[in-house]
């Protein structure tokens, strides 16, 4: 909503500066989104009267004058000769500048200065100096009727300076989509009275020139119509055109401009029809007849923007006996719009119910200033006065005469609502004591009226709610009004109170944060991916994703069933930007079907590609790229940090979908925790990923459910250990797990740990086989082990390897 | 030459030679040449047996003193040469970059969320959460948003193609309802989480973004409490020079509703007086009635703000999409 400072001042008095008004409106809840200063013509030039004229002591051709400027007297030194005391002239005050002339680089600013030793406080102007037609030599002498002190622009009827405010009106306050509505807020804040425009009284006798029939009172509770005959459609007067232009409306003609002006002034949308284009009804005395009815299914209607619409009974039409003539509350029809030849005008001022207008506006894609106001809720009680105001202004600007009685079809008048305010509740909610009498004063200044009723509790007041305040429904709403007028900035802040919240997720938040920190400590950067992804990308991981019913684009038409598609996208994004070392993790929610329902779950995923280490300038490791062991090491660290035991990694025998090689991670061999592996290089290459890509994803809900944060101390070993190494050649299919299984079966005494330290193929190792080397550490808790104790135990273990795995031991 | 003279002469030769050895092996060879089994000093010591009893004490004394002197010269020279040998072959260039073991970084949104959560927890708030897939009841109806309210426009909300046509929550306020349905008052929670709006991605919009919601319900909670808490948190978050302004606004689920603007040196630097940062208000009595709290007994406040916005302000990030691209050059800056 745009409004200007001068327009507001037509309706309420206030002496705030433009900046102060911005601040006041904002703190009232009317956020000022923009302020534009309009510099008017002849800024700083007023009508003045010469009181006396004396010769300049030091110059023959100059005179020294005393001049009244409407506020006081000034001394002016003047060189013109064509004036005498009593003449009224334009006077430019110090600080103001003359209208710029072609070729001027900078405006000519008038200053207080001495002319031949005598001070001059301003300058009386000639027509040439003001850029006006040059009829005289010397000062511009104004008619004696000119008012001293009046801005010269106003005297000439030109636009003065003004300030345009662009206000954000919240949807609960439709009444603020009007100048009067905003002025009312200012009136309530200042205590000054609100000025409504003066209206001509409607005639009380006569006949109505039109017939109005409301067929859909549920959609149109009130409809008024007035007729003016003999108007001359033409350009609007300057004041009207300039006011509309200031707030961003285009001037069309005097009749249409008036209806727009009154809408902005009162908030009530109006529509004007060319009466002669409205079909008279048969049998109602031949009078033009307006029917407010639902459109027929498939009824075609062309709005005045030239667009044709196919309507349904959802849409409300204003129709004559033959055709639709306006889409109620949204836009008029092309067939009856005001044109240059129009002489007889029908003014519609009506109230339409918000929901219907919103549906129609949305369904047809038509948003207008009228529909905007109706769909938020207009004021049914303002309908007649706005129509009267519109008629007055049309008569004043386009001439004509009002014809007959206005029609006011208002089948059911709604009763004013009342709301009770318990005065002590104000302090209870706001935290500041405001005397009851002040509370009443604030609310009545907003237009609420005290309306005591039998049985109202002491300490409370009952108010009737004005019809324009659709948002005031209950006590809390009234308390908000009091808070606004009192000023939220004046409510003292009280320190946070002691109390502790609780929620089961509180602990989970910390657990997630801790895992995040651990992953970062492993060198991974945290990613935050899109929740919405492409369904094809989602299917990569072999799951049918949950789709959106109304996606914005096919890029984002599915809910992620896994974090991996998003992370793969992030890898691609980085690689195409030549970030060669990309190691990411993400913790986030995924969405999967479970029967009919969609379930959300927390996941953790890791993605690695490219260089293992940051760029360095020496050493063998510098060119190494990540491999599957980098990934597995990270997964192990995280699961170990969560205290999970009995985690197994089972290689999938086949390449599947996303993976060229992968393993299932499980707990106790059963509960699946997730998977890890290497992405299909063909798929990777399609995404510009040339180095091997390693991915892991784990079920974070399961990790958190099974996590074991309990740590207990094991005493540090007191006695030295004995290390024995064993190297063996085994068939390719023998896994580390198989080696451990042999150890578990043989249970060698005092074996503390068994760690692989070399795995290799080739050289002297036959094809299809590999060499495994282990370090075995033996230690007794209570004494120093002797070599001869270890030797037989170790030999038995080596024999076990040889026997059960077909290992040949390398001596 | 008497034995004493010989001792003196050999000693001097040994010390001179030891001191002039240029390398450790040469030093060890010199040591051998004097003190070794066939060494010159060793040979003199063997002569002790053949001298007279009268001469022996003086000779023995001289011999010991000479030996100590030689050994001391040896130790000294050895240390010098060892030090020399340990000198690096080439000087280290301390200006070359070191070998880095990368420490990963937390996403800036995680860091900002953690900071916000920390600030609230100091005041006794607990973190809560709720589903991202919501129903209309929790997202709108229970929050007093009427069926035809513009905020419920299907234009702005994603719906899920599943039974019951659930939606992706448009704000974290839905969790207010879920928590109040389950827990009796008093309530003191914050809810960080993802929310969804059907906006095309641009510099200031992403269909997915993060909000944090605060809800406090107790007896006699006032607007004053709301202001005090919000001020405490934002001072914690944005620095003690931050100034806040509360201005009336409209949300369907609070009454009064306020918007919060803040300003500090940074805002001034951006050429603005105030920047809008959050919405808040006193919980609407209708919301309490909906979840079965008696609005005559309980009052409370709620507020919410966008985490991306705070992060963008804090770090001077001008494009929201950077948060979701996860370019490592971006992530490593935080």
């Amino acid at each position: 909503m745009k409004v200007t400072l001068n327009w507001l001042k037509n309706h309420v008095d206030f002496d705030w500066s433009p900046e102060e008004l911005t601040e006041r409106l904002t703190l009232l809840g009317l956020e000022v989104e923009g302020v534009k200063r309009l510099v008017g013509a002849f800024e700083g030039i007023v009508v003045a009267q010469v009181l006396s004229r004396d010769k300049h002591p030091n110059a023959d051709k100059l005179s020294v004058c005393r001049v009244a400027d409407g506020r006081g007297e000034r001394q002016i030194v003047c060189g013109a000769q064509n004036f005498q005391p009593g003449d009224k002239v334009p006077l430019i005050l110090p600080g103001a500048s003359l209208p710029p002339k072609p070729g001027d680089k900078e405006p000519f600013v008038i200053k207080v200065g001495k002319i031949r030793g005598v001070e001059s406080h301003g300058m009386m102007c000639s027509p040439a100096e003001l850029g006006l037609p040059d009829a005289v030599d010397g000062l511009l002498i104004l008619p004696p009727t000119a008012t001293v002190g009046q801005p010269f622009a106003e005297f000439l009827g030109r636009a003065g300076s003004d300030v345009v405010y662009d206000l954000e009106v919240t949807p609960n306050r439709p009444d603020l989509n009007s100048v009067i509505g905003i002025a009312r807020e200012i009136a309530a804040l200042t205590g000054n009275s609100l000025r409504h425009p003066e209206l001509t009284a409607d005639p009380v006798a006569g006949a109505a020139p039109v017939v109005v029939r409301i067929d859909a009172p549920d959609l149109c509770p009130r409809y008024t119509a007035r007729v003016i005959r003999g108007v001359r459609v033409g350009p609007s007067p300057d004041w009207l055109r300039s006011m509309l232009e200031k707030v961003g409306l285009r001037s069309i003609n005097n009749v249409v401009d008036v209806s727009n002006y009154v809408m902005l002034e009162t908030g009530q949308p109006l529509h004007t029809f060319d009466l002669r284009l409205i079909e008279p009804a048969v049998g109602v005395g031949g009078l033009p007849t307006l029917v407010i009815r639902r459109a027929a299914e498939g009824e075609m209607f062309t709005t005045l923007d030239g667009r044709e619409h196919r309507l349904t009974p959802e849409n409300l039409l204003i129709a004559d006996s033959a055709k639709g003539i306006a889409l109620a509350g949204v836009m008029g029809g092309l067939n009856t719009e005001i044109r240059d030849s129009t002489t007889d005008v029908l003014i519609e001022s009506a109230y339409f119910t918000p929901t219907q207008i919103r549906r129609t506006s949305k369904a047809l894609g038509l948003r207008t200033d009228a529909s905007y106001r109706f769909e938020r809720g207009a004021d049914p009680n303002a309908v007649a006065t706005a129509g009267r105001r519109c008629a007055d202004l049309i008569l004043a600007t386009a001439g004509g005469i009002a014809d007959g009685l206005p029609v006011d079809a208002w089948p059911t008048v709604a009763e004013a609502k009342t709301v009770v305010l318990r005065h002590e509740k104000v302090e209870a909610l706001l935290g500041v004591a405001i005397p009851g009498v002040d509370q009443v004063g604030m609310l009545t200044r907003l237009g609420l009226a005290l309306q005591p009723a039998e049985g109202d509790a002491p300490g409370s007041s009952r108010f009737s709610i004005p019809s324009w305040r659709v948002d005031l429904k209950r006590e809390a709403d009234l308390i908000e009004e009091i808070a606004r007028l009192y000023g939220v900035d004046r409510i003292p802040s009280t320190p946070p109170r002691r109390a502790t919240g609780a929620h089961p997720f509180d602990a989970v938040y910390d657990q997630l944060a801790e895992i995040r920190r651990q992953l970062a400590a492993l060198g991974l950067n945290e990613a935050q991916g899109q929740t919405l992804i492409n369904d094809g990308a989602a299917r990569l991981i072999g799951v049918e994703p949950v789709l959106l019913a109304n996606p914005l684009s096919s890029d984002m038409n599915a809910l992620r069933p896994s974090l991996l598609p998003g992370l793969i996208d992030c890898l691609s994004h980085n690689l195409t930007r030549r970030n060669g070392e990309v190691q990411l993790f993400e913790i986030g929610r995924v969405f999967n079907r479970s029967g009919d329902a969609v379930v959300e779950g927390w996941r953790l995923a890791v993605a690695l590609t490219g260089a293992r280490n940051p760029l360095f300038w020496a050493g063998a490791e510098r060119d190494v790229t990540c491999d599957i062991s980098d990934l597995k090491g990270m997964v192990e660290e995280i699961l170990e940090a969560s205290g999970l035991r009995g985690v197994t990694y089972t290689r999938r025998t086949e390449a599947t979908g996303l993976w060229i090689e992968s393993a299932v991670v499980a707990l106790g061999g059963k509960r699946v925790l997730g998977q890890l592996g290497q992405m299909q290089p063909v798929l990777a290459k399609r995404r510009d990923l040339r180095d091997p890509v390693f991915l892991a994803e784990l079920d974070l809900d399961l990790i958190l459910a099974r996590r074991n944060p309990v740590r207990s101390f094991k005493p540090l070993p007191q006695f030295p250990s004995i290390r024995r190494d064993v190297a063996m050649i085994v068939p390719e299919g023998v896994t580390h797990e198989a080696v451990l299984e042999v150890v578990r079966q043989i249970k060698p005494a005092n074996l503390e740990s068994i760690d692989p330290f070399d795995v290799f193929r080739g050289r002297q190792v036959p094809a299809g086989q590999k060499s495994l080397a282990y370090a075995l550490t033996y230690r007794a808790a209570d004494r120093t082990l002797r070599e001869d104790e270890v030797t037989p135990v170790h030999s038995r273990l080596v024999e076990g390897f040889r026997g059960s795995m077909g290992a040949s031991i390398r001596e | 030459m008497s034995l004493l003279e010989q001792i003196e002469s050999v000693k001097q030769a040994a010390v001179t030679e030891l001191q002039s050895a240029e390398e450790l092996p040469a030093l060890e060879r010199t040591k051998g040449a004097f003190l070794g089994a066939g060494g010159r000093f060793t040979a003199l010591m063997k002569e002790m047996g053949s001298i007279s009893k009268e001469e022996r004490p003086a000779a023995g004394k001289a011999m010991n003193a000479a030996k100590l002197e030689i050994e001391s010269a040896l130790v000294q020279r050895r240390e010098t040469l060892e030090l020399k040998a340990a000198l690096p072959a080439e000087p280290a260039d301390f200006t070359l970059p070191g070998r880095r073991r990368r420490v990963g970084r937390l996403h800036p949104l995680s860091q900002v969320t953690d900071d916000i959560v920390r600030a609230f927890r100091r005041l006794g708030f607990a973190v809560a959460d709720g589903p991202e897939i919501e129903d209309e009841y929790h997202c709108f109806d229970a929050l007093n948003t009427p069926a035809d309210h513009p905020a419920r426009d299907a234009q702005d909300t994603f719906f899920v193609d599943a039974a019951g046509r659930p939606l992706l929550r448009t704000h974290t306020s839905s969790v207010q309802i879920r928590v109040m349905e389950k827990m009796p008052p008093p309530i003191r929670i914050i809810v960080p989480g993802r929310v969804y709006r059907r906006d095309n991605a641009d510099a200031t919009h992403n269909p997915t973004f993060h909000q944090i919601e605060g809800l406090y319900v107790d007896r006699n909670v006032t607007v004053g409490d709301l202001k005090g808490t919000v001020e405490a948190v934002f001072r914690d978050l944005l620095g003690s020079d931050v100034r806040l302004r509360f201005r009336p606004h409209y949300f369907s689920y609070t009454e009064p509703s306020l918007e919060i603007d803040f300003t500090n040196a940074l805002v001034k630097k951006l050429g603005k007086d105030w920047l809008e940062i959050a919405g808040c208000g006193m919980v609407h009595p209708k919301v309490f009635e909906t979840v079965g709290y008696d609005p005559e007994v309980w009052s409370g406040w709620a507020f919410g703000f966008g985490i991306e916005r705070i992060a963008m302000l804090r770090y001077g990030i001008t494009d929201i999409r950077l948060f979701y691209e996860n370019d490592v050059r971006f992530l490593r800056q935080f």
Side-chain angles (χ1 to χ4, degrees):
Chain A
M1 172 78 195
K2 283 187 177 160
V3 67
T4 85
L5 185 68
N6 292 344
W7 202 345
L8 284 172
K9 286 191 167 176
N10 287 346
H11 295 284
V12 64
D13 292 329
F14 56 94
D15 51 11
W16 300 323
S17 69
E19 294 74 26
E20 211 175 342
L21 180 61
T22 302
E23 179 77 10
R24 299 278 187 163
L25 289 175
T26 300
L27 291 178
L28 273 172
L30 268 160
E31 193 182 352
V32 177
E33 292 189 318
V35 179
K36 198 169 134 198
R37 284 167 173 281
L38 301 176
V39 178
F42 306 119
E43 184 85 4
I45 303 177
V46 296
V47 175
Q49 185 170 31
V50 181
L51 301 175
S52 67
R53 176 180 172 184
D54 299 306
K55 230 179 77 59
H56 192 290
N58 308 324
D60 288 345
K61 292 193 170 168
L62 298 179
S63 45
V64 178
C65 309
R66 283 193 309 120
V67 174
D69 63 5
R71 295 197 166 200
E73 288 181 23
R74 316 175 153 264
Q75 176 171 287
I76 309 283
V77 177
C78 184
Q81 304 300 331
N82 68 327
F83 69 99
Q84 48 198 316
D87 279 350
K88 289 180 180 169
V89 295
L91 169 73
I92 180 161
L93 301 172
S97 50
L98 285 173
K101 295 192 179 54
D104 280 2
K105 283 207 178 120
E106 283 178 5
F108 181 66
V109 181
I110 303 299
K111 296 179 193 131
V112 175
K114 280 188 179 169
I115 300 176
R116 294 278 183 103
V118 178
E119 273 195 9
S120 182
H121 294 259
M123 182 176 113
M124 298 189 281
C125 305
S126 71
E129 283 161 340
L130 295 173
L132 295 172
D134 209 345
V136 289
D137 184 19
L139 298 183
L140 175 62
I141 308 296
L142 305 175
T145 51
T147 312
V148 174
Q150 188 183 27
F152 185 59
E154 209 176 292
F155 168 78
L156 290 180
R158 301 231 187 146
S161 65
D162 206 344
V163 184
V164 182
Y165 295 89
D166 192 356
L167 305 176
E168 190 207 331
V169 175
T170 53
N172 60 325
R173 291 294 305 273
D175 63 302
L176 295 182
N177 288 308
S178 69
V179 178
I180 289 178
I182 295 162
R184 183 183 290 113
E185 296 274 304
I186 296 172
L189 198 60
T190 56
N192 296 337
S193 55
L194 179 66
R195 278 193 297 276
H196 285 280
E198 274 175 35
L199 300 178
T200 316
D202 277 320
V204 287
V210 292
V211 175
V212 172
R213 192 179 86 216
I214 302 178
D215 284 356
D218 51 331
L219 305 185
C220 175
R222 187 177 188 189
Y223 195 98
T224 70
R226 284 158 210 277
V227 168
I228 297 176
R229 293 191 193 274
V231 302
R232 283 179 310 279
V233 175
S236 289
D238 282 350
W239 70 265
L240 178 54
R241 199 185 54 240
S242 87
M243 198 58 105
L244 290 179
E245 283 171 354
K246 279 190 224 171
V247 297
L249 260 63
R250 202 163 50 87
S251 172
I252 294 166
N253 59 49
N254 45 11
V255 173
V256 174
D257 285 0
V258 162
S259 66
N260 282 330
Y261 181 86
V262 175
M263 173 182 71
L264 295 175
E265 183 182 77
T266 64
Q268 169 65 39
L270 300 136
H271 185 63
T272 47
F273 300 94
D274 185 325
L275 182 66
R276 289 177 312 172
L277 301 174
I278 298 176
E279 206 76 27
V282 183
V284 202
L287 289 177
T289 302
L290 301 180
V291 182
I292 294 93
R293 61 163 170 89
R294 290 172 184 270
E297 184 66 49
E299 186 169 355
M300 301 304 291
F301 181 72
T302 305
T303 42
L304 51 77
D305 56 359
R307 284 169 60 192
E308 191 174 30
H309 305 277
R310 173 181 293 275
L311 306 181
T312 71
E314 284 274 277
N315 312 128
L316 188 67
L317 267 183
I318 314 298
D320 63 16
S321 52
K323 59 186 183 293
I325 56 172
L327 199 51
V330 180
M331 195 182 273
L334 193 58
N335 52 16
T336 48
E337 85 172 315
I338 301 294
R339 50 210 74 195
D340 291 347
S341 59
T342 301
T343 56
D344 296 349
V345 174
L346 183 142
I347 303 166
E348 165 198 292
S349 180
Y351 176 79
F352 302 109
T353 49
T355 308
Q356 185 275 134
I357 299 292
R358 184 175 307 121
R359 285 206 194 109
T360 297
S361 158
K362 187 172 289 173
L364 303 182
L366 266 184
R367 276 177 61 87
T368 60
D369 286 334
S371 72
Y372 175 83
R373 285 172 172 78
F374 281 126
E375 70 179 37
R376 281 166 167 72
D379 176 5
N381 287 337
V383 164
T385 49
R388 180 68 247 171
R389 170 72 169 154
C390 184
D392 283 352
L393 285 178
I394 288 178
L395 292 168
T397 60
I401 50 163
D403 180 20
L405 284 182
V407 180
D408 187 350
W410 195 3
T412 316
V413 178
E415 230 174 76
K417 287 173 297 186
T418 65
V419 174
V420 174
L421 173 70
R422 289 164 297 175
H423 294 293
E424 90 277 358
K425 273 285 170 189
V426 174
E427 182 173 2
L429 200 65
L430 300 184
V432 65
I434 300 171
V437 58
D438 292 355
Q439 298 175 18
V440 172
M442 291 178 201
L443 294 176
T444 49
R445 289 208 297 279
L446 285 168
L448 284 75
L450 272 175
Q451 198 176 71
E454 198 105 350
D456 284 350
S460 71
S461 301
R462 179 180 296 273
F463 293 90
S464 69
I465 306 300
S467 53
W468 62 82
R469 289 302 301 268
V470 295
D471 60 316
L472 300 183
K473 291 173 183 147
R474 54 193 295 167
E475 187 176 53
D477 301 325
L478 302 191
I479 296 175
E480 176 175 53
E481 295 306 292
I482 292 168
R484 287 196 312 122
L485 290 185
Y486 180 80
V488 182
D489 49 330
R490 289 171 60 200
I491 298 178
S493 304
T494 46
R497 301 193 212 177
R498 298 251 168 243
T500 310
H503 193 274
F505 185 74
D506 196 56
V508 176
Y509 181 84
D510 285 340
Q511 292 158 16
L512 293 177
E514 170 152 13
I515 293 178
R516 273 199 184 92
R517 282 194 296 273
Q518 286 162 350
L519 287 160
L522 291 171
L524 299 168
N525 287 307
E526 187 187 11
Q528 291 257 12
Q530 302 279 5
T531 304
L532 305 178
I533 63 174
N534 169 258
D535 60 323
R539 285 190 192 94
L540 256 189
I541 54 138
V543 178
E544 187 56 31
V546 178
L547 298 178
L548 290 179
N550 61 339
L552 264 173
S553 69
S554 61
D555 279 357
M556 294 187 165
N557 60 359
L559 290 168
R560 60 181 179 189
S562 153
L563 302 175
L564 294 178
L567 278 181
I568 293 168
D569 275 353
C570 293
L571 294 183
S572 298
H573 176 92
N574 277 287
L575 267 292
T576 53
R577 281 154 185 81
R578 306 201 176 274
N579 301 334
E581 172 215 348
V582 192
Q583 307 182 6
L584 299 173
F585 79 92
E586 180 170 1
I587 283 180
R589 291 201 208 189
V590 299
F591 304 82
N592 282 288
R593 284 184 196 282
S594 164
D596 266 355
V598 180
V599 293
E600 304 180 20
W602 287 97
R603 292 267 177 95
L604 177 174
V606 176
L608 311 175
T609 194
R612 173 186 296 161
N613 299 312
L615 182 66
F616 191 61
W617 38 269
E621 284 267 292
R622 63 181 139 169
D623 296 325
V624 178
T625 55
C626 289
D627 64 23
I628 190 70
S629 298
D630 289 309
L631 180 67
K632 195 190 168 205
M634 292 172 182
V635 169
E636 285 171 331
E637 282 286 352
I638 287 305
L639 295 180
E640 202 177 292
S642 299
L644 292 191
R645 305 241 173 81
V647 179
T648 59
Y649 299 83
T650 313
R651 183 176 184 275
R652 290 193 179 108
T653 48
E654 305 287 324
T656 52
L658 179 66
W659 310 99
I660 181 93
E661 188 173 33
S662 63
V664 174
V665 187
L667 260 183
K670 286 197 270 306
R671 284 295 298 273
V672 173
L673 257 179
Q675 51 184 344
L676 81 172
Q678 182 183 349
M679 186 181 176
Q680 284 277 12
V682 180
L683 292 177
K685 213 161 263 169
R686 252 182 245 158
R687 290 164 175 75
D688 292 314
L689 301 168
R690 307 201 172 270
D691 286 324
V693 173
F694 299 96
L695 304 168
E697 185 170 41
L698 299 172
D699 180 339
L700 202 43
D701 290 320
L702 186 54
I703 292 176
L704 295 183
R706 298 296 185 86
R707 68 190 276 281
N708 177 13
V710 180
R711 299 282 182 271
S712 56
F713 169 71
K714 262 190 244 130
L716 302 182
Q718 300 270 316
F719 300 96
S721 63
I722 291 174
R723 171 175 163 167
R724 292 290 172 86
D725 292 353
V726 56
M728 52 195 165
I729 293 175
V730 294
E732 189 63 64
V734 172
T735 60
H736 172 63
E737 181 61 28
V739 172
L740 295 185
E741 187 52 34
V742 171
V743 173
R744 280 196 288 267
Q745 275 175 14
I746 292 177
K747 294 194 192 75
N750 297 317
L751 180 66
E752 186 180 69
S753 63
I754 167 165
D755 301 297
F757 67 88
D758 196 23
V759 177
F760 76 91
R761 299 167 179 83
R763 281 180 283 176
Q764 304 100 319
V765 181
Q769 305 214 332
K770 62 188 172 187
S771 165
L772 302 178
Y774 285 92
L776 294 108
T777 305
Y778 295 89
R779 192 197 306 265
D782 54 352
R783 67 205 144 87
T784 301
L785 272 185
R786 292 190 319 272
E787 294 281 344
D788 62 350
E789 282 180 280
V790 171
T791 304
V793 174
H794 186 68
S795 300
R796 207 165 56 247
L797 181 60
V798 170
E799 279 317 301
F801 290 149
R802 208 194 302 272
S804 57
M805 302 186 312
S808 62
I809 308 300
R810 287 151 57 95
E811 305 293 349
Chain B
M1 216 190 299
S2 73
L3 184 58
L4 282 177
E5 282 166 347
Q6 284 183 46
I7 290 171
E8 182 59 26
S9 144
V10 170
K11 181 202 83 181
Q12 276 187 10
V15 167
T16 309
E17 258 185 69
L18 284 171
Q19 281 174 344
S20 62
E22 283 302 327
E23 286 172 328
L24 279 169
L27 183 74
E28 295 308 319
R29 276 197 304 276
T30 307
K31 177 194 167 195
F34 287 92
L35 298 177
R40 284 165 65 190
F41 194 78
T42 314
L44 282 182
M45 287 183 27
K46 284 178 187 157
E47 280 183 31
M48 282 286 287
S50 60
I51 60 170
S52 67
K53 247 186 199 155
E54 296 75 41
E55 285 175 313
R56 206 174 284 164
K61 209 174 163 190
M63 192 74 78
N64 274 338
K67 193 179 179 197
L68 280 175
E69 213 170 314
I70 293 168
E71 281 175 344
S72 147
L74 172 69
V75 167
Q76 261 182 30
R77 189 62 189 164
R78 188 184 277 143
E79 258 180 29
T80 306
L81 291 181
E82 272 175 353
L83 216 63
K84 201 172 136 198
L87 279 178
E90 317 85 22
D93 180 351
F94 284 97
T95 65
L96 270 174
R99 184 183 282 112
R100 300 287 286 267
R101 299 185 180 194
R102 214 54 114 182
V103 174
R105 306 297 167 97
L106 294 186
H107 197 280
L109 293 177
S110 294
Q111 296 191 34
V112 171
T113 305
D114 280 345
D115 290 346
I116 298 169
V117 165
R118 198 176 305 117
F120 275 107
R121 279 183 161 171
R122 270 199 270 273
L123 307 178
F125 282 75
V127 186
D129 85 330
E132 290 173 24
I133 297 187
E134 261 298 358
D135 48 45
E136 302 221 16
Y137 176 78
H138 288 92
C139 203
F140 297 125
D141 296 318
L143 288 163
N144 194 32
T145 314
D148 53 8
H149 190 279
R152 297 182 67 154
D153 205 320
Q155 294 291 331
D156 306 329
T157 306
F158 283 117
F159 290 90
V160 178
D161 186 13
R165 203 174 148 85
L167 47 81
L168 293 179
R169 66 179 179 196
T170 57
H171 48 194
T172 42
S173 306
S174 53
V175 184
Q176 287 184 24
I177 304 298
R178 296 215 169 252
V179 169
M180 288 193 283
E181 277 173 344
K182 285 230 175 71
M183 298 167 61
I187 298 276
R188 190 172 263 221
I189 53 157
I190 41 164
V191 186
R194 286 193 168 194
V195 299
Y196 303 88
R197 300 266 169 92
R198 205 161 161 277
D199 290 324
N200 280 307
D202 61 25
T204 53
H205 295 89
N206 192 59
T208 300
F209 61 102
H210 293 78
Q211 280 188 341
I212 196 157
E213 185 90 6
L215 172 68
Y216 175 37
V217 180
D218 207 335
R219 291 171 204 274
N220 308 316
V221 177
T222 68
V223 172
D225 294 326
L226 165 60
K227 288 179 65 182
T229 304
V230 168
E231 281 163 7
V233 167
F234 277 103
R235 260 200 294 276
D236 201 335
L237 221 54
L238 297 170
S240 52
D241 70 327
V242 73
R243 277 179 52 221
L244 297 185
R245 175 171 86 168
F246 295 77
R247 89 190 128 66
H249 196 71
Y250 167 65
F251 304 107
S252 61
Y253 40 100
T254 46
E255 188 82 24
S257 299
L258 306 169
E259 272 200 330
I260 305 169
D261 298 333
F262 86 102
T263 190
N264 60 10
L266 178 74
V267 175
K268 297 279 192 241
K269 220 162 74 186
L270 292 172
K272 305 243 167 98
D273 286 334
W274 296 97
L275 269 185
E276 184 182 316
I277 193 100
C280 63
M282 303 301 291
V283 179
H284 199 290
K286 206 149 175 190
V287 173
F288 280 149
E289 285 161 7
T290 303
V291 297
Y293 288 8
D294 184 351
E296 288 302 310
V297 177
W298 303 101
S299 56
W301 51 252
F303 77 84
F305 52 89
I307 294 174
E308 276 83 353
R309 189 167 167 75
I310 304 266
M312 289 168 91
L313 277 169
R314 173 189 279 191
Y315 300 117
I317 296 167
T318 50
D319 192 327
I320 196 172
R321 288 168 293 197
L322 284 167
F323 290 119
Y324 295 93
E325 284 171 353
N326 300 302
D327 192 310
V328 292
R329 295 166 302 178
F330 172 80
L331 298 175
R332 281 186 193 134
Q333 294 185 29
F334 304 101

